[in-house]
Short mmCIF file of all heavy atoms in Angstrom, two decimals:
data_model
loop_
_atom_site.label_atom_id
_atom_site.label_comp_id
_atom_site.label_asym_id
_atom_site.label_seq_id
_atom_site.Cartn_x
_atom_site.Cartn_y
_atom_site.Cartn_z
N GLY K 36 19.97 49.61 -23.19
CA GLY K 36 18.72 48.98 -23.09
C GLY K 36 17.80 49.66 -22.11
O GLY K 36 18.22 50.49 -21.27
N VAL K 37 16.49 49.36 -22.22
CA VAL K 37 15.51 49.86 -21.27
C VAL K 37 14.75 48.65 -20.77
O VAL K 37 14.20 47.83 -21.54
CB VAL K 37 14.50 50.81 -21.94
CG1 VAL K 37 13.38 51.28 -20.99
CG2 VAL K 37 15.22 52.01 -22.44
N LEU K 38 14.76 48.45 -19.42
CA LEU K 38 14.16 47.38 -18.77
C LEU K 38 12.80 47.97 -18.23
O LEU K 38 12.85 48.96 -17.42
CB LEU K 38 15.02 46.73 -17.71
CG LEU K 38 14.35 45.69 -16.87
CD1 LEU K 38 14.00 44.49 -17.64
CD2 LEU K 38 15.32 45.38 -15.65
N THR K 39 11.71 47.32 -18.49
CA THR K 39 10.42 47.78 -17.96
C THR K 39 9.84 46.68 -17.06
O THR K 39 9.68 45.53 -17.51
CB THR K 39 9.44 48.09 -19.11
OG1 THR K 39 10.02 49.07 -19.95
CG2 THR K 39 8.12 48.72 -18.54
N ILE K 40 9.62 47.03 -15.82
CA ILE K 40 8.99 46.14 -14.88
C ILE K 40 7.81 46.78 -14.20
O ILE K 40 8.05 47.87 -13.60
CB ILE K 40 10.05 45.62 -13.78
CG1 ILE K 40 11.29 45.03 -14.37
CG2 ILE K 40 9.36 44.75 -12.80
CD1 ILE K 40 12.36 44.71 -13.46
N ARG K 41 6.67 46.25 -14.39
CA ARG K 41 5.42 46.91 -13.78
C ARG K 41 5.31 48.37 -14.11
O ARG K 41 4.95 49.17 -13.22
CB ARG K 41 5.44 46.65 -12.27
CG ARG K 41 5.36 45.21 -11.86
CD ARG K 41 5.31 45.02 -10.42
NE ARG K 41 5.30 43.62 -10.00
CZ ARG K 41 5.56 43.12 -8.87
NH1 ARG K 41 5.79 43.92 -7.87
NH2 ARG K 41 5.53 41.86 -8.70
N GLY K 42 5.55 48.73 -15.32
CA GLY K 42 5.40 50.09 -15.73
C GLY K 42 6.57 51.05 -15.49
O GLY K 42 6.62 52.16 -15.96
N ARG K 43 7.52 50.61 -14.62
CA ARG K 43 8.72 51.47 -14.38
C ARG K 43 9.80 51.08 -15.30
O ARG K 43 10.04 49.96 -15.57
CB ARG K 43 9.16 51.21 -12.92
CG ARG K 43 8.06 51.66 -11.93
CD ARG K 43 8.54 51.64 -10.51
NE ARG K 43 9.71 52.46 -10.31
CZ ARG K 43 10.51 52.38 -9.31
NH1 ARG K 43 10.40 51.48 -8.48
NH2 ARG K 43 11.56 53.18 -9.20
N GLN K 44 10.51 52.04 -15.82
CA GLN K 44 11.60 51.89 -16.80
C GLN K 44 12.94 52.15 -16.10
O GLN K 44 13.08 53.10 -15.34
CB GLN K 44 11.35 52.79 -17.97
CG GLN K 44 10.18 52.42 -18.75
CD GLN K 44 10.05 53.15 -20.06
OE1 GLN K 44 10.50 54.33 -20.14
NE2 GLN K 44 9.49 52.57 -21.03
N PHE K 45 13.95 51.36 -16.52
CA PHE K 45 15.30 51.44 -15.95
C PHE K 45 16.23 51.42 -17.14
O PHE K 45 16.29 50.42 -17.86
CB PHE K 45 15.58 50.27 -15.01
CG PHE K 45 14.51 50.20 -13.89
CD1 PHE K 45 13.45 49.38 -13.95
CD2 PHE K 45 14.75 50.90 -12.66
CE1 PHE K 45 12.51 49.23 -12.96
CE2 PHE K 45 13.80 50.76 -11.67
CZ PHE K 45 12.73 50.00 -11.77
N PRO K 46 17.01 52.48 -17.31
CA PRO K 46 18.04 52.38 -18.34
C PRO K 46 19.25 51.51 -17.95
O PRO K 46 19.66 51.52 -16.83
CB PRO K 46 18.46 53.85 -18.54
CG PRO K 46 18.17 54.50 -17.17
CD PRO K 46 17.03 53.72 -16.61
N LEU K 47 19.73 50.75 -18.89
CA LEU K 47 20.87 49.82 -18.69
C LEU K 47 21.88 49.95 -19.68
O LEU K 47 21.55 50.24 -20.92
CB LEU K 47 20.30 48.35 -18.63
CG LEU K 47 19.13 48.07 -17.68
CD1 LEU K 47 18.62 46.67 -17.91
CD2 LEU K 47 19.59 48.23 -16.23
N HIS K 65 23.91 49.81 -14.36
CA HIS K 65 22.90 50.86 -14.32
C HIS K 65 23.48 52.16 -14.80
O HIS K 65 24.70 52.22 -15.17
CB HIS K 65 22.47 50.97 -12.83
CG HIS K 65 21.19 51.73 -12.68
ND1 HIS K 65 20.99 52.97 -13.14
CD2 HIS K 65 20.00 51.25 -12.09
CE1 HIS K 65 19.72 53.38 -12.84
NE2 HIS K 65 19.09 52.32 -12.18
N THR K 66 22.72 53.19 -14.85
CA THR K 66 23.18 54.52 -15.45
C THR K 66 24.43 54.97 -14.84
O THR K 66 25.33 55.46 -15.56
CB THR K 66 22.13 55.50 -15.21
OG1 THR K 66 20.79 54.98 -15.65
CG2 THR K 66 22.34 56.82 -15.89
N LEU K 71 24.81 45.55 -12.13
CA LEU K 71 23.57 44.87 -11.68
C LEU K 71 23.59 43.38 -11.82
O LEU K 71 23.00 42.65 -11.05
CB LEU K 71 22.41 45.39 -12.56
CG LEU K 71 22.15 46.96 -12.38
CD1 LEU K 71 21.05 47.32 -13.36
CD2 LEU K 71 21.70 47.28 -10.99
N VAL K 90 21.88 44.92 -5.92
CA VAL K 90 20.62 45.42 -6.36
C VAL K 90 19.66 44.31 -6.78
O VAL K 90 18.52 44.33 -6.42
CB VAL K 90 20.78 46.49 -7.49
CG1 VAL K 90 19.45 46.94 -8.04
CG2 VAL K 90 21.64 47.63 -7.06
N LEU K 91 20.19 43.36 -7.57
CA LEU K 91 19.34 42.26 -8.10
C LEU K 91 19.69 40.97 -7.31
O LEU K 91 20.86 40.66 -7.18
CB LEU K 91 19.66 42.06 -9.56
CG LEU K 91 19.32 43.20 -10.50
CD1 LEU K 91 19.58 42.83 -11.94
CD2 LEU K 91 17.84 43.60 -10.39
N TRP K 95 16.85 36.26 -9.38
CA TRP K 95 16.31 37.06 -10.49
C TRP K 95 17.32 37.04 -11.59
O TRP K 95 16.95 36.92 -12.79
CB TRP K 95 16.11 38.49 -10.01
CG TRP K 95 15.21 39.22 -10.91
CD1 TRP K 95 13.80 39.33 -10.90
CD2 TRP K 95 15.50 40.03 -12.06
NE1 TRP K 95 13.36 40.10 -11.89
CE2 TRP K 95 14.44 40.55 -12.63
CE3 TRP K 95 16.84 40.36 -12.56
CZ2 TRP K 95 14.46 41.31 -13.73
CZ3 TRP K 95 16.86 41.16 -13.74
CH2 TRP K 95 15.65 41.61 -14.32
N PHE K 115 12.72 41.55 -25.65
CA PHE K 115 12.21 40.40 -24.94
C PHE K 115 11.06 40.77 -24.13
O PHE K 115 11.11 41.79 -23.46
CB PHE K 115 13.29 39.79 -24.01
CG PHE K 115 14.61 39.55 -24.75
CD1 PHE K 115 15.62 40.47 -24.68
CD2 PHE K 115 14.82 38.34 -25.44
CE1 PHE K 115 16.82 40.16 -25.41
CE2 PHE K 115 15.96 38.11 -26.07
CZ PHE K 115 16.95 38.99 -26.05
N ASP K 117 7.93 39.09 -21.53
CA ASP K 117 7.14 38.07 -20.89
C ASP K 117 6.23 38.67 -19.86
O ASP K 117 6.13 39.93 -19.83
CB ASP K 117 8.08 36.99 -20.20
CG ASP K 117 8.86 37.47 -19.06
OD1 ASP K 117 8.59 38.52 -18.50
OD2 ASP K 117 9.81 36.81 -18.59
N ARG K 118 5.51 37.96 -19.08
CA ARG K 118 4.52 38.57 -18.24
C ARG K 118 5.14 39.34 -17.11
O ARG K 118 4.46 40.16 -16.37
CB ARG K 118 3.54 37.55 -17.65
CG ARG K 118 4.23 36.55 -16.78
CD ARG K 118 3.22 35.43 -16.44
NE ARG K 118 3.76 34.78 -15.21
CZ ARG K 118 3.00 34.47 -14.16
NH1 ARG K 118 1.82 34.80 -14.06
NH2 ARG K 118 3.63 33.85 -13.16
N HIS K 119 6.47 39.19 -16.87
CA HIS K 119 7.14 39.95 -15.77
C HIS K 119 7.88 41.16 -16.22
O HIS K 119 8.04 42.14 -15.42
CB HIS K 119 8.12 38.98 -15.07
CG HIS K 119 7.51 37.78 -14.54
ND1 HIS K 119 6.70 37.73 -13.42
CD2 HIS K 119 7.55 36.50 -14.91
CE1 HIS K 119 6.22 36.52 -13.19
NE2 HIS K 119 6.78 35.71 -14.11
N HIS K 120 8.43 41.23 -17.43
CA HIS K 120 9.24 42.29 -17.82
C HIS K 120 9.37 42.51 -19.33
O HIS K 120 8.97 41.54 -20.04
CB HIS K 120 10.65 42.16 -17.23
CG HIS K 120 11.47 41.09 -17.89
ND1 HIS K 120 11.25 39.81 -17.81
CD2 HIS K 120 12.52 41.30 -18.79
CE1 HIS K 120 12.11 39.13 -18.47
NE2 HIS K 120 12.96 40.01 -19.09
N THR K 121 9.80 43.61 -19.79
CA THR K 121 10.13 43.86 -21.20
C THR K 121 11.53 44.44 -21.17
O THR K 121 11.91 45.29 -20.39
CB THR K 121 9.14 44.84 -21.80
OG1 THR K 121 7.88 44.27 -21.69
CG2 THR K 121 9.57 45.11 -23.22
N LEU K 122 12.34 43.90 -22.08
CA LEU K 122 13.81 44.38 -22.24
C LEU K 122 13.93 44.76 -23.68
O LEU K 122 13.78 43.85 -24.57
CB LEU K 122 14.78 43.37 -21.79
CG LEU K 122 16.27 43.73 -22.01
CD1 LEU K 122 16.60 44.97 -21.19
CD2 LEU K 122 17.13 42.56 -21.62
N GLU K 123 14.26 46.04 -23.98
CA GLU K 123 14.52 46.49 -25.33
C GLU K 123 15.98 46.83 -25.42
O GLU K 123 16.43 47.73 -24.66
CB GLU K 123 13.62 47.70 -25.71
CG GLU K 123 12.11 47.26 -25.68
CD GLU K 123 11.21 48.43 -26.01
OE1 GLU K 123 11.39 49.08 -27.04
OE2 GLU K 123 10.33 48.66 -25.15
#
Side-chain angles (χ1 to χ4, degrees):
V37 176
L38 175 65
T39 305
I40 303 172
R41 296 182 184 167
R43 296 187 61 201
Q44 294 186 330
F45 305 93
L47 305 171
H65 197 303
T66 309
L71 298 175
V90 178
L91 299 180
W95 198 90
F115 306 97
D117 66 18
R118 64 186 197 133
H119 302 288
H120 74 290
T121 300
L122 176 62
E123 297 177 54

